[in-house]
Amino acid sequence: MNYIKACTRKNGTLTFQKRHFQVDASIIKTGFDPNTYRFNFQVKTHLLHGDLGAARKLFDEMPHKNIISTNTMITGYLNSGNLSAARSLFDGMLERSVVTWTMLIGGYAQNSKFREAFSLFVDMCRHDLAPDHVTLTTLLSGFTEFDNVNEVAQVHAHVVKLGYDSTLTVCNSLLDSYCKTRSLGLACHLFKHMPEKDNVTFNVLLTGYSKEGFNHDAINLFFKMQNLGFKPTDFTFAAVLTAGIQLDDIEFGQQVHSFVVKCNFVWNVFVANALLDFYSKHDRVVEVRKLFYEMPEVDGISYNVIITCCAWNERVEESLELFRDLQFTRFDRRQFPFATLLSIAANALNLEVGRQIHSQAIVTDAISEILVGNSLVDMYAKCDKFGEANRIFADLAHQSSVPWTALISGYVQKGFHEDSLNLFVEMQRAKIRADSATYASILRACANLASLTLGKQLHSHIIRSGCISNVFSGSALVDMYAKCGSIKEALHMFQEMPTRNCVTWNALISAYAQNGDGGLALRSFEQMVHSGLLPNSVSFLSILCACSHCGLVEEGLQYFNSMTQVYKFVPKREHYASMVDMLCRSGRFDEAEKLMAQMPFEPDEIMWTSILNSCRIHKNQEMGKKAADQLFSMKILRDAAPYVSLSNIYAAAGEWENVGKVKKAMRERGVRKVPAYSWVEIKQMTHVFSANDMSHPQMKEIIRMLDELEEQMEKQGYKPDSSCALHNVDEEVKLESLKYHSERIAIAFALISTPEGSPILVMKNLRACNDCHAAIKVISKIVNREITVRDSSRFHHFRDGSCSCKDYW
């Protein structure tokens, strides 16, 4: 630094004052113009204090401005986010420096305006100004989208042309851009030919590998980095742990944890959070809690991870308690895990908690975060508040596929399948690109409607979109074909998938279970294990449901025990519910009660309803009454199924007075029985029928077919089971009502509307009665057709007078 000491005369001699004046580069660049220098300094001071208005006023009053003056003002606008004002000043400049161009390019890049930043770079080159290494790294920092790869390649050409291809910082930025634009092939080529590398170079490619799912490559690069003597950083550990998560290798993560401790990075909150996330994604709640409470420093992310982990593992109360602790910290409230808490509220259908979280998100301004907005749409949709969901959705719909998917999923979960399909059509019209999650949701709607035609159309759509290779889209297609009764198509889809994971195998196991093939369901489970994939909790739920539906009780007990003894899983509520259902279906009520007594939680509505249904099948009135008492003592019981089951038990026993009491209780609680209806798809049109429904335009032909069938069924020895007509009416009326059950009307319509010999698929929203089950077996023999009925429990395949399932299932 140069210092000029001012001097004064005192007593005839010269003395120097002690005040020092520092001369910076700015005064030199102004040509030692003190006025311009002073104005520039004052403008900069105003900007440092955040007074943009005063800075601009002073700037406008400057008698002489130079490039530094305008650059200073442009910097102020860019820092305040006012790109248009910065661009206006830039466009009015007669002379610009490399710094000027670089600043504005950086402003666009930081605000995700990559096209504008690149266009500005092109204009800079046309003005014969050579970009320096700062310009290049600034521009490259803005490329994050997949479709920016051509622009990155053009910048790469300039890097080589200007001789910066040996500059480490520029090459690292270029490598990072290739990774962010998902051009790993070009990234690897550049990495290979870089004359110099540092740990940043390795970290960039390591992160690129892990983000794109090249997990083995990421880990191999990590080992290579160590062998070459490059020391790992916090980014190294974060990237390699991300790769470990996707490999589903808990032992590898534990080895990295040991290495973190050895390298003394365990104190680093960024690395510790990556470890927390790793253990959390592997459902290792004990390890997560231990690490969290041992961390010397925690931040908002640490709380987010442990709160989310507890929520995933059904520790809802602990999640909420940790959230209460988080609110007393000084961490950024905008970064609170509102999305996770909204997910808890959504899954619990707890609208009150959801609205409280919504209020907090508004107060902290976290409502502007896309993830929070998407979670609010999901929460309100799952809580059946589609008005609120649609209002929030309207503000988010233009941004991405996520809010569309959340609302579509909400409609599907609530049974509004047609609404979900209409919304999907709107999504296409709005030119919002569907992703694998969207397709999984909309395929579920097709599956529930059993619309094979729509499902095949969506299959074509998925192929055109490029999502067909996605494991989740493929798994959803397997599930859709299976639920539409096309098990051959489901198996073909499964075999064609390039990669398979637990979700895929679970879909296949479930497909076989729904179609009554317990043997193939069990074989598929074993094949999954032999392929090297470890079953997850959903895998066990799928196989337990298969055992339950197919009457494989002993096998189900073995799988349930292996969960804890072999695979070290802690059974969740749904696993116990499936076991209770399986035992009760087979009439083993004592074992079911014993299992419920051993559960770490109280039996819920689903379990008692399952017991009640089995009591109806096995005519166990005593146990049915006990299950009903438990259900009716619950504070909230809006489902009509338990009432109907108990009513049917009393009706079957002829206790009509008790039937009346149950119906009175339903009226008092405002519970309404869901009407039974069946539907069939003919020539791409869905025809819906309810019991004793005479409204169809072809009803005369349908009745004629039913009469013909009734006559031939009598010849085959069929006798109606009047006990299935659970009404206190004459025997003749009971028998007549059985004839017009919705599934029989649908089958009759299919018979008069389709070619002889073609298969028939009928869907029903409730369980088919025993009499219809027996009747359809006889009808299949008479008409010599394969008839498939999918009711609320499973598929029933009828052929030549027999059925693929056991009668009592």
Side-chain angles (χ1 to χ4, degrees):
M1 293 294 180
N2 297 320
Y3 293 91
I4 301 174
K5 294 184 179 180
C7 60
T8 57
R9 186 176 295 276
K10 184 177 181 182
N11 299 327
T13 61
L14 289 173
T15 61
F16 288 95
Q17 292 183 355
K18 292 183 179 180
R19 286 196 308 164
H20 292 191
F21 296 92
Q22 183 175 356
V23 179
D24 61 19
S26 301
I27 197 167
I28 297 172
K29 291 177 181 178
T30 59
F32 291 96
D33 181 345
N35 289 329
T36 304
Y37 170 75
R38 186 173 65 254
F39 273 111
N40 286 348
F41 181 79
Q42 289 174 347
V43 167
K44 187 175 181 180
T45 302
H46 282 307
L47 291 173
L48 288 172
H49 288 88
D51 196 344
L52 193 60
R56 182 57 193 257
K57 184 175 182 296
L58 188 61
F59 174 79
D60 291 336
E61 293 172 354
M62 288 178 66
H64 300 289
K65 302 182 184 74
N66 58 13
I67 291 179
I68 294 175
S69 312
T70 313
N71 284 354
T72 303
M73 201 63 225
I74 287 173
T75 301
Y77 280 124
L78 291 175
N79 290 339
S80 68
N82 194 338
L83 274 173
S84 59
R87 184 60 187 260
S88 179
L89 274 178
F90 176 86
D91 290 339
M93 293 177 72
L94 298 175
E95 183 184 0
R96 306 181 186 111
S97 66
V98 173
V99 174
T100 316
W101 288 91
T102 302
M103 284 193 307
L104 197 59
I105 288 170
Y108 282 121
Q110 289 170 16
N111 285 276
S112 301
K113 295 183 180 293
F114 315 122
R115 300 290 182 193
E116 291 86 343
F118 183 73
S119 178
L120 206 60
F121 173 76
V122 172
D123 288 343
M124 178 184 180
C125 295
R126 286 173 182 163
H127 282 77
D128 295 325
L129 268 176
D132 61 12
H133 68 284
V134 179
T135 312
L136 293 167
T137 54
T138 301
L139 174 65
L140 287 166
S141 69
F143 294 121
T144 59
E145 298 295 327
F146 176 66
D147 56 359
N148 291 145
V149 64
N150 290 331
E151 287 86 346
V152 176
Q154 291 178 52
V155 176
H156 192 171
H158 278 279
V159 168
V160 175
K161 181 181 177 181
L162 296 168
Y164 287 112
D165 52 334
S166 59
T167 303
L168 184 59
T169 54
V170 176
C171 288
N172 282 344
S173 296
L174 192 56
L175 185 68
D176 186 48
S177 295
Y178 277 132
C179 289
K180 286 178 178 175
T181 55
R182 300 170 66 184
S183 306
L184 281 182
L186 293 171
C188 291
H189 182 79
L190 174 63
F191 179 85
K192 183 179 179 181
H193 292 90
M194 282 176 63
E196 184 185 357
K197 300 180 182 73
D198 61 3
N199 54 11
V200 174
T201 316
F202 280 90
N203 288 347
V204 167
L205 189 57
L206 191 58
T207 303
Y209 277 142
S210 62
K211 282 186 176 178
E212 290 301 309
F214 294 94
N215 306 305
H216 290 289
D217 294 302
I219 291 168
N220 289 335
L221 186 65
F222 172 70
F223 290 131
K224 181 180 179 181
M225 181 181 180
Q226 307 313 308
N227 293 335
L228 291 173
F230 290 102
K231 291 184 177 181
T233 67
D234 49 356
F235 291 103
T236 314
F237 287 119
V240 80
L241 283 166
T242 300
I245 289 171
Q246 296 177 60
L247 280 176
D248 198 23
D249 188 345
I250 186 67
E251 290 183 3
F252 173 76
Q254 290 169 338
Q255 290 171 4
V256 174
H257 191 168
S258 300
F259 193 36
V260 166
V261 174
K262 182 180 177 181
C263 295
N264 198 28
F265 267 96
V266 75
W267 55 266
N268 185 299
V269 69
F270 182 70
V271 176
N273 285 342
L275 282 167
L276 274 180
D277 188 51
F278 176 86
Y279 286 126
S280 171
K281 296 286 173 58
H282 286 84
D283 295 331
R284 297 294 183 122
V285 186
V286 174
E287 287 88 340
V288 168
R289 295 180 79 258
K290 184 175 185 295
L291 179 60
F292 177 82
Y293 290 111
E294 288 178 354
M295 285 169 63
E297 179 189 357
V298 296
D299 59 10
I301 295 173
S302 315
Y303 271 98
N304 285 2
V305 173
I306 191 171
I307 288 170
T308 303
C309 179
C310 290
W312 282 346
N313 289 277
E314 296 187 347
R315 299 193 178 196
V316 175
E317 290 302 321
E318 189 172 354
S319 285
L320 296 173
E321 186 63 37
L322 283 162
F323 179 67
R324 282 189 281 269
D325 294 342
L326 177 59
Q327 292 180 80
F328 289 101
T329 66
R330 295 185 179 181
F331 301 134
D332 184 2
R333 298 179 72 84
R334 282 173 54 90
Q335 302 301 320
F336 281 8
F338 293 118
T340 297
L341 293 160
L342 287 166
S343 177
I344 291 173
N347 292 331
L349 303 180
N350 193 326
L351 185 62
E352 184 181 353
V353 169
R355 282 181 167 154
Q356 289 175 11
I357 302 301
H358 188 178
S359 300
Q360 289 204 35
I362 293 171
V363 171
T364 59
D365 198 34
I367 191 73
S368 60
E369 296 291 328
I370 294 175
L371 185 60
V372 175
N374 293 338
S375 299
L376 280 167
V377 172
D378 180 60
M379 184 274 293
Y380 280 120
K382 285 180 177 173
C383 290
D384 211 5
K385 294 294 179 181
F386 287 99
E388 289 93 327
N390 274 292
R391 278 194 289 274
I392 298 167
F393 169 79
D395 296 329
L396 300 167
H398 66 284
Q399 295 179 5
S400 71
S401 63
V402 178
W404 291 86
T405 303
L407 197 53
I408 287 170
S409 178
Y411 280 132
V412 173
Q413 289 186 22
K414 293 300 176 183
F416 303 127
H417 306 305
E418 291 84 356
D419 292 316
S420 70
L421 290 165
N422 291 335
L423 188 60
F424 179 75
V425 172
E426 284 183 40
M427 182 181 179
Q428 302 308 302
R429 288 173 182 163
K431 300 191 183 305
I432 300 295
R433 186 176 178 181
D435 57 20
S436 57
T438 317
Y439 288 123
S441 294
I442 202 66
L443 282 167
R444 201 157 61 247
C446 293
N448 291 334
L449 288 171
S451 178
L452 191 58
T453 303
L454 278 174
K456 286 182 174 179
Q457 290 176 9
L458 275 169
H459 191 167
S460 300
H461 203 288
I462 292 168
I463 292 171
R464 292 195 302 272
S465 72
C467 287
I468 192 64
S469 60
N470 181 279
V471 70
F472 295 104
S473 298
S475 302
L477 281 166
V478 171
D479 182 64
M480 182 275 295
Y481 279 121
K483 287 180 177 174
C484 289
S486 184
I487 190 67
K488 290 180 181 178
E489 289 286 350
L491 183 59
H492 178 73
M493 185 65 226
F494 176 84
Q495 292 170 340
E496 290 290 311
M497 289 179 65
T499 57
R500 302 176 191 131
N501 62 5
C502 279
V503 176
T504 320
W505 283 98
N506 293 346
L508 185 66
I509 293 166
S510 180
Y512 283 130
Q514 290 167 4
N515 281 272
D517 201 329
L520 283 176
L522 301 187
R523 190 187 305 171
S524 298
F525 183 91
E526 297 304 325
Q527 286 175 342
M528 176 183 71
V529 174
H530 290 149
S531 72
L533 285 170
L534 288 174
N536 57 20
S537 61
V538 179
S539 308
F540 280 105
L541 184 61
S542 299
I543 199 66
L544 290 175
C545 288
C547 293
S548 178
H549 288 160
C550 300
L552 304 172
V553 182
E554 296 305 323
E555 290 86 345
L557 288 166
Q558 288 175 14
Y559 280 112
F560 183 75
N561 292 331
S562 73
M563 279 186 72
T564 53
Q565 296 171 10
V566 179
Y567 296 98
K568 309 303 178 184
F569 276 108
V570 176
K572 296 182 180 180
R573 184 180 292 274
E574 54 265 30
H575 298 108
Y576 280 103
S578 186
M579 287 300 298
V580 168
D581 180 59
M582 180 173 60
L583 291 168
C584 290
R585 278 174 183 255
S586 62
R588 295 161 72 163
F589 293 101
D590 291 341
E591 291 177 62
E593 281 194 282
K594 185 178 178 181
L595 181 66
M596 287 193 294
Q598 294 171 352
M599 293 190 309
F601 30 70
E602 291 297 315
D604 60 8
E605 179 183 342
I606 295 172
M607 293 184 193
W608 286 117
T609 301
S610 175
I611 292 170
L612 194 56
N613 285 333
S614 295
C615 289
R616 177 181 61 82
I617 295 167
H618 293 282
K619 296 180 172 55
N620 188 335
Q621 191 172 343
E622 182 182 348
M623 187 67 185
K625 183 67 170 61
K626 181 179 179 180
D629 289 341
Q630 291 290 335
L631 285 163
F632 299 153
S633 65
M634 293 181 179
K635 291 182 179 179
I636 300 175
L637 182 64
R638 300 184 185 276
D639 188 4
Y643 295 94
V644 174
S645 293
L646 185 63
S647 175
N648 290 345
I649 290 172
Y650 285 136
E655 298 182 14
W656 300 109
E657 185 178 344
N658 286 331
V659 171
K661 290 179 180 178
V662 173
K663 291 183 176 181
K664 181 182 178 183
M666 288 178 69
R667 288 193 298 272
E668 289 173 350
R669 289 198 176 193
V671 178
R672 298 185 65 181
K673 179 183 176 182
V674 177
Y677 57 89
S678 300
W679 67 97
V680 62
E681 187 177 3
I682 306 290
K683 295 178 182 178
Q684 301 183 14
M685 285 188 64
T686 302
H687 300 261
V688 184
F689 303 93
S690 58
N692 299 301
D693 180 12
M694 301 293 165
S695 61
H696 195 276
Q698 291 179 257
M699 201 61 213
K700 286 184 179 179
E701 295 96 315
I702 293 171
I703 292 174
R704 191 179 304 119
M705 174 55 73
L706 287 169
D707 290 339
E708 290 175 10
L709 288 171
E710 183 181 33
E711 185 178 338
Q712 294 183 59
M713 287 163 70
E714 285 180 10
K715 293 178 181 178
Q716 293 286 335
Y718 162 75
K719 293 183 179 180
D721 182 1
S722 61
S723 67
C724 294
L726 302 171
H727 302 285
N728 190 17
V729 292
D730 293 338
E731 185 74 9
E732 187 177 341
V733 177
K734 286 183 179 183
L735 297 179
E736 186 71 10
S737 68
L738 290 174
K739 177 180 174 181
Y740 293 107
H741 275 193
S742 62
E743 56 266 54
R744 295 203 209 180
I745 299 175
I747 290 170
F749 174 69
L751 287 171
I752 65 174
S753 305
T754 57
E756 288 187 18
S758 60
I760 294 171
L761 172 63
V762 173
M763 311 296 296
K764 185 171 183 178
N765 67 324
L766 300 178
R767 191 185 182 103
C769 72
N770 288 341
D771 181 68
C772 284
H773 190 275
I776 298 168
K777 282 200 291 187
V778 179
I779 292 171
S780 71
K781 184 178 181 180
I782 292 168
V783 299
N784 193 26
R785 293 216 208 177
E786 182 180 340
I787 301 174
T788 301
V789 177
R790 195 190 93 183
D791 63 11
S792 60
S793 64
R794 50 164 295 175
F795 278 95
H796 306 268
H797 299 284
F798 300 91
R799 182 80 184 185
D800 296 328
S802 62
C803 182
S804 62
C805 59
K806 295 181 180 180
D807 292 352
Y808 59 84
W809 295 127

